[in-house]
Amino acid sequence: MASISFRSSFAAHSEGSEALVILISLYLDKPPAGAQGEQNDRPGELLMKTILVVDDDEAIRTLLQEELSDEGYRVIIAGNARDALKKVEEEALDLVILDIRMPGMDGLEALPRILGLKEDLPVILNSAYTQYRESFMSWAADAYVVKSSDLTELKAKVKDLIAK
Amino acid sequence: MDGLKELTTIIMAGGKGERLFPLTRDKAKPAITFGSLYRVIDFTLSNCLNCGIRRIYVLTQYGSFSLDQHLRAAWDIMHPDLGEFIYSMPPQQIMVSRWYRGTADSIYQNLNLLQRERPQQVLILSGDHVYKMNYLEMLDFHLSRDADMTVAAVMVPRREGSSFGILKVNAAAEVENFLEKPARPPGLPGAPGFSLASMGVYIFRARTLVEEVIKDAKKKSSKHDFGGDIIPQLVGRKKVFAYNFRDAGGQPRYWRDIGLLDAYYSAHADLLGKEPTFDLFEAAWPIRCRPQLYPPSRYLSPGACLAVGDSLVAAGCTIEGTVNQAVLSPGVRVGRGATIQGAILWDGVEIGAGATVNRAIIEDGVKVPPGFAIGVDLKQDARRFHVTENGIVVVPNNVILEE
């Protein structure tokens, strides 16, 4: 027999917005993947698009997580490619932001493996280096954004690809 | 020769060849014996060698051991220190953990190889065709049109077009569409009685190839095939040309896909006669095969003459019977009073005294008992063997024939 639980949450998170989102979710047996865990305290998450940020640099992970959360995305992080592949398999993702130079498996190796798991998942390569732009291996990504303290371009690409 | 330096050549040899069953039950289609001495892939590899292409990747998958063995035994002739190679490449499972899903996917899975080579152009060939072709002439055509993709194609009578992948082209040979086995094949501008059949031989601008196989790999609905998926995707967006494979007189040149048992059989008939449709004796375009040490063939009929006509007989055979319109591989024995008519006998087949073999393909090592008949009573044959639509009996070597 399925157990039924009710949950409601209230959110008014986007800056200056008066929007009130009321979510009443009906769960049968188990909540769906992605509705549990560390991000569960974030309000309105069921309507949010989920982005996986893969970078070996903790400062960049934190920066992107904060900035993209402020944009209204649910952000999960991975510090290396293997962890990223695991999350691609387990989570319902809408986009991946992938660093290239990482110890162990690099981003160009991880990219086809990510696509092997979820062939239509959009991926943005985000590297401090421009030279990988010409590598055939990078062409499988939907965008290539060179790292910068100004996140305008990255945010625009994220918005573009998620809207598609 | 600059074009050659910037060219990467890839032979697709991974197909399962189901329509050639039972010949392909334990080996890859390109590794099948053809024309007495050859394996099917020898024709494509010889074409490469004859036009100076000496850096070749062979993508294998199904039954790859048979092909590896053959490449090793017959084609271990390149000099790695000169940058030459023939590499056999089963799915590497480096980029993704799966088998090749189709011809286009096999290229996608080897993008790292193209990244290593960074060619300007990529020549894509198939390992299961019988033909003689100078790929450099096609490359010239491709470069002169500044094409993104050039598809080699051969003219076939329009009414036969329904069994091929047909290219619809305009008067400038630009491809407008690809039609897989169309019910009503379009005619060719200037030769309306003919249609252009794709030969499965392609030259791509490398950048275009990479972009397109990536795009294709992300498409769930795709079968990941060059003909059915990549060409239609490219047409109208990029410059796709058809290279008409014909002689100076405008006649279609010889090209056969031996994907069907009946096609395999009839391609053998093309090898026979004084002026064969497909000439294995052309000195200017030799076909290389595995070198084998055999004694000369011998014909035994003390005090009389044997009737052996219109056939190809390899070395090492012993013939004491009648042989007509047959193709014999090395080491075949035809016993006293046996009659062979229109048959293809692979290596080491033994036909017992007084046996009859008509219109059959017999795999290597099969021993046909004395007095046995194959291809005489097709109904009876069909109970034991595979008999094709055209009535060709196929005898595999996993059966024991009883007297």
Side-chain angles (χ1 to χ4, degrees):
Chain A
M1 190 59 195
S3 67
I4 297 172
S5 68
F6 290 91
R7 187 184 68 139
S8 62
S9 58
F10 300 86
H13 60 87
S14 52
E15 230 173 301
S17 157
E18 300 296 326
L20 178 64
V21 180
I22 302 176
L23 279 173
I24 301 175
S25 319
L26 179 72
Y27 294 134
L28 293 175
D29 273 334
K30 229 165 54 163
Q36 248 186 341
E38 52 187 307
Q39 287 83 22
N40 208 24
D41 54 333
R42 292 202 164 266
E45 71 182 40
L46 291 179
L47 296 179
M48 288 171 136
K49 297 290 187 181
T50 304
I51 297 173
L52 171 65
V53 170
V54 190
D55 205 301
D56 61 322
D57 184 337
E58 197 189 341
I60 289 179
R61 287 199 302 268
T62 310
L63 174 73
L64 291 183
Q65 186 167 33
E66 280 174 7
E67 290 279 330
L68 292 167
S69 297
D70 286 350
E71 298 282 311
Y73 301 111
R74 173 178 171 249
V75 180
I76 55 180
I77 53 174
N80 59 62
R82 305 229 169 255
D83 189 27
L85 287 171
K86 208 165 139 250
K87 294 211 156 90
V88 168
E89 221 164 356
E90 290 167 356
E91 303 271 352
L93 299 174
D94 297 287
L95 183 112
V96 179
I97 297 175
L98 182 61
D99 183 24
I100 294 183
R101 279 204 194 173
M102 292 183 287
M105 190 191 295
D106 73 16
L108 293 185
E109 271 177 78
L111 175 57
R113 291 179 174 271
I114 289 172
L115 296 173
L117 295 168
K118 305 258 168 82
E119 57 209 15
D120 46 6
L121 179 60
V123 178
I124 299 176
L125 284 172
N126 188 39
S127 171
Y129 305 90
T130 55
Q131 77 244 36
Y132 299 111
R133 231 189 247 279
E134 271 309 297
S135 165
F136 285 154
M137 306 307 290
S138 76
W139 293 12
D142 297 84
Y144 189 110
V145 177
V146 177
K147 277 181 188 170
S148 152
S149 56
D150 177 6
L151 296 178
T152 315
E153 189 194 351
L154 183 65
K155 285 178 181 171
K157 287 276 191 251
V158 168
K159 203 173 163 196
D160 261 17
L161 289 168
I162 280 189
K164 264 187 191 169
Chain B
M1 292 300 269
D2 272 358
L4 261 187
K5 270 189 200 152
E6 296 173 336
L7 183 76
T8 292
T9 300
I10 298 172
I11 301 179
M12 311 266 182
K16 200 161 178 189
E18 270 161 346
R19 291 171 306 161
L20 275 179
F21 190 84
L23 303 182
T24 46
R25 74 189 182 286
D26 59 354
K27 49 177 97 64
K29 182 156 67 158
I32 294 222
T33 298
F34 184 91
S36 167
L37 294 178
Y38 310 92
R39 302 300 179 103
V40 178
I41 199 174
D42 291 340
F43 294 90
T44 299
L45 285 169
S46 295
N47 288 344
C48 289
L49 203 61
N50 288 337
C51 56
I53 295 172
R54 300 176 70 95
R55 296 184 304 115
I56 302 163
Y57 295 98
V58 180
L59 303 189
T60 65
Q61 178 155 281
Y62 175 80
S64 63
F65 177 62
S66 57
L67 206 49
D68 284 349
Q69 258 185 319
H70 176 64
L71 291 179
R72 198 140 181 150
W75 288 94
D76 195 10
I77 57 169
M78 299 304 186
H79 292 277
D81 48 337
L82 300 178
E84 307 170 355
F85 56 82
I86 295 177
Y87 288 136
S88 162
M89 313 261 299
Q92 303 295 295
Q93 313 251 337
I94 287 173
M95 277 187 54
V96 286
S97 307
R98 61 166 183 251
W99 293 95
Y100 297 143
R101 296 181 295 185
T103 48
D105 189 50
S106 70
I107 299 296
Y108 173 75
Q109 291 200 31
N110 286 293
L111 278 187
N112 53 349
L113 175 163
L114 290 179
Q115 172 58 26
R116 225 175 23 238
E117 298 239 331
R118 287 306 290 219
Q120 293 297 315
Q121 314 294 334
V122 183
L123 170 64
I124 295 176
L125 304 169
S126 164
D128 31 82
H129 299 157
V130 175
Y131 64 129
K132 297 177 194 169
M133 183 175 185
N134 186 334
Y135 304 123
L136 299 189
E137 289 172 7
M138 181 182 171
L139 181 62
D140 280 346
F141 172 91
H142 172 80
L143 294 172
S144 72
R145 301 299 191 283
D146 193 28
D148 285 288
M149 178 189 195
T150 298
V151 185
V154 69
M155 292 188 291
V156 296
R158 202 161 161 181
R159 62 180 185 284
E160 290 171 22
S162 304
S163 48
F164 295 94
I166 297 295
L167 300 169
K168 187 173 182 295
V169 297
N170 65 19
E174 256 183 290
V175 177
E176 293 175 337
N177 206 354
F178 175 86
L179 308 157
E180 185 67 52
K181 299 184 178 154
R184 303 184 59 184
L188 189 59
F194 290 92
S195 292
L196 261 192
S198 167
M199 293 161 54
V201 168
Y202 315 106
I203 299 178
F204 276 94
R205 192 199 302 279
R207 299 183 76 92
T208 306
L209 176 66
V210 172
E211 283 167 4
E212 296 305 320
V213 296
I214 286 173
K215 198 178 293 173
D216 174 76
K218 293 183 178 188
K219 251 197 204 161
K220 276 195 176 131
S221 58
S222 177
K223 284 183 177 149
H224 312 291
D225 191 52
F226 278 115
D229 300 294
I230 299 286
I231 300 177
Q233 208 183 115
L234 273 174
V235 163
R237 278 196 305 121
K238 301 268 182 178
K239 285 159 87 177
V240 184
F241 280 88
Y243 174 74
N244 194 336
F245 184 50
R246 57 184 165 180
D247 62 22
Q251 292 303 304
R253 297 198 52 195
Y254 188 90
W255 171 85
R256 293 289 184 278
D257 178 350
I258 49 86
L260 287 168
L261 286 167
D262 283 325
Y264 172 87
Y265 181 83
S266 65
H268 277 79
D270 295 338
L271 306 174
L272 302 178
K274 194 175 174 188
E275 284 175 10
T277 318
F278 188 72
D279 189 0
L280 293 171
F281 286 67
E282 188 187 339
W285 205 264
I287 308 298
R288 189 190 159 79
C289 63
R290 178 180 155 205
Q292 292 184 88
L293 295 174
Y294 275 99
S297 280
R298 55 183 170 172
Y299 298 78
L300 306 175
S301 58
C305 278
L306 279 175
V308 177
D310 217 2
S311 297
L312 291 172
V313 179
C317 293
T318 298
I319 295 171
E320 297 177 79
T322 302
V323 176
N324 193 35
Q325 291 188 313
V327 177
L328 273 53
S329 290
V332 168
R333 302 177 77 96
V334 178
R336 185 143 30 107
T339 308
I340 311 297
Q341 171 69 42
I344 301 163
L345 310 182
W346 287 9
D347 297 57
V349 166
E350 290 181 17
I351 309 294
T356 304
V357 178
N358 286 341
R359 305 182 78 225
I361 303 164
I362 303 186
E363 276 194 340
D364 48 308
V366 170
K367 290 181 172 53
V368 177
F372 205 86
I374 291 170
V376 175
D377 181 348
L378 290 184
K379 271 189 188 157
Q380 203 188 330
D381 286 331
R383 265 181 244 135
R384 286 177 294 197
F385 312 121
H386 183 85
V387 180
T388 72
E389 215 172 290
N390 292 354
I392 309 302
V393 184
V394 184
V395 182
N397 57 14
N398 58 355
V399 294
I400 291 168
L401 307 186
E402 305 281 340
E403 273 177 73

